[in-house]
Amino acid sequence: MDAPRAAPVERFLRGLQKRILAALQGEEAPGAGILRRDPWAAQDSGGLTCVLADGEVFERAAVNFSRVQGERLPQPATERRPELAGCRFEAVGLSVIIHPRNPYVPTSHANLRFFVARDSSGGPQAWWFGGGMDLTPVYPFEEDVRHWHRVCLEACAPFGEDLYRRLKEWCDRYFYLPHRREARGVGGLFFDDLDWWGFARCFEFVRGVGDRFLPAYLPIVQRRKSAPYGARERNFLLYRRGRYVEFNLLYDRGTRFGLQTGGRVESILASLPPEVRWHYDWQPAPGTAEARLGEFLQPRDWV
């Protein structure tokens, strides 16, 4: 039976949350970093917020599961499906955002979510998956970016030869700062309103994306986490984090959805970096390593 069900999705996401947390802790030196686990509940909603902070490798890594129910789908969830405005809903999701300490280790983000919109009788009127994963380097290395995109391609390959291209282009469009005229990072995969193949097949794809997050990201962390850096590189990292904050607060649909559904604010904003810096009208000098980042912030083929 191909009926949409939130329970197996929740089990998978909770298991993935445990796996990602364990892997991130495994990259830290023994005793480094503070892991805080905060179960939370609000009316019929709840979740588990897990934040690894103050580590030698990860300055902040938030790996958050949530299960939210409500009487009316908020506007960010109906922008592409206005016919569902006013429907009751149930949503489960896992959000991962990693801010490394070393400027040579890229920031990374992943999100997987499942929605069911219900009619007045309580039956499912519509359902869909959304999510993806993307990479935001400060000092990019082409081999890292190509590795990341090869793993994204592997996740898509069993589901159609053009799927990677479609979701990669969708990611490039979504993670874009119009006011800066630049991409947030080097992309990856992004999808929404995924109900194309029936529930079982769509869930299989989502599991494939989730299972490949660690193989895509950890080899990059392991290559770069011990690279030496100084104040110049650290200051550039803080400056580039400002772009990340701008996107999350101005454009990110997940942030707006969480705030509009009365989600736990501390959990939602755990995606923000602990330190950030803005410089007035600053540009890197031509020919520097900092200027080279601009070459990576325009969409191009990586595999």
Side-chain angles (χ1 to χ4, degrees), residues 181-289:
R181 297 180 182 176
E182 68 181 33
R184 188 175 80 172
V186 297
L189 303 174
F190 182 83
F191 55 93
D192 208 352
D193 303 309
L194 175 64
D195 59 1
W196 313 328
W197 308 305
F199 174 77
R201 184 70 166 161
C202 289
F203 186 25
E204 181 184 355
F205 170 70
V206 168
R207 290 197 303 269
V209 173
D211 288 341
R212 284 173 173 82
F213 174 73
L214 290 173
Y217 187 54
L218 284 188
I220 301 173
V221 174
Q222 292 160 359
R223 277 197 293 267
R224 309 298 172 194
K225 68 180 183 180
S226 299
Y229 66 91
R232 169 177 169 166
E233 291 83 5
R234 176 68 181 176
N235 286 335
F236 189 57
L237 168 66
L238 299 183
Y239 169 72
R240 290 302 308 179
R241 281 179 175 175
R243 301 290 204 268
Y244 207 95
V245 172
E246 289 172 20
F247 181 87
N248 271 35
L249 297 184
L250 293 175
Y251 303 112
D252 187 69
R253 289 174 61 191
T255 301
R256 289 188 290 136
F257 174 85
L259 294 174
Q260 291 183 21
T261 55
R264 185 171 182 263
V265 174
E266 288 298 318
S267 299
I268 298 164
L269 298 184
S271 64
L272 299 179
E275 291 189 67
V276 64
R277 179 174 293 171
W278 280 269
H279 297 287
Y280 177 73
D281 198 25
W282 181 84
Q283 295 292 330
T288 61

Side-chain angles (χ1 to χ4, degrees), residues 59-92:
E59 196 167 356
R60 174 178 291 168
V63 187
N64 301 337
F65 172 81
S66 62
R67 182 176 183 273
V68 181
Q69 298 183 78
E71 292 300 315
R72 292 176 60 89
L73 271 167
Q75 186 264 342
T78 60
E79 287 177 349
R80 297 169 58 91
R81 307 179 77 136
E83 73 278 6
L84 300 179
C87 285
R88 289 183 286 174
F89 73 94
E90 176 183 7
V92 294

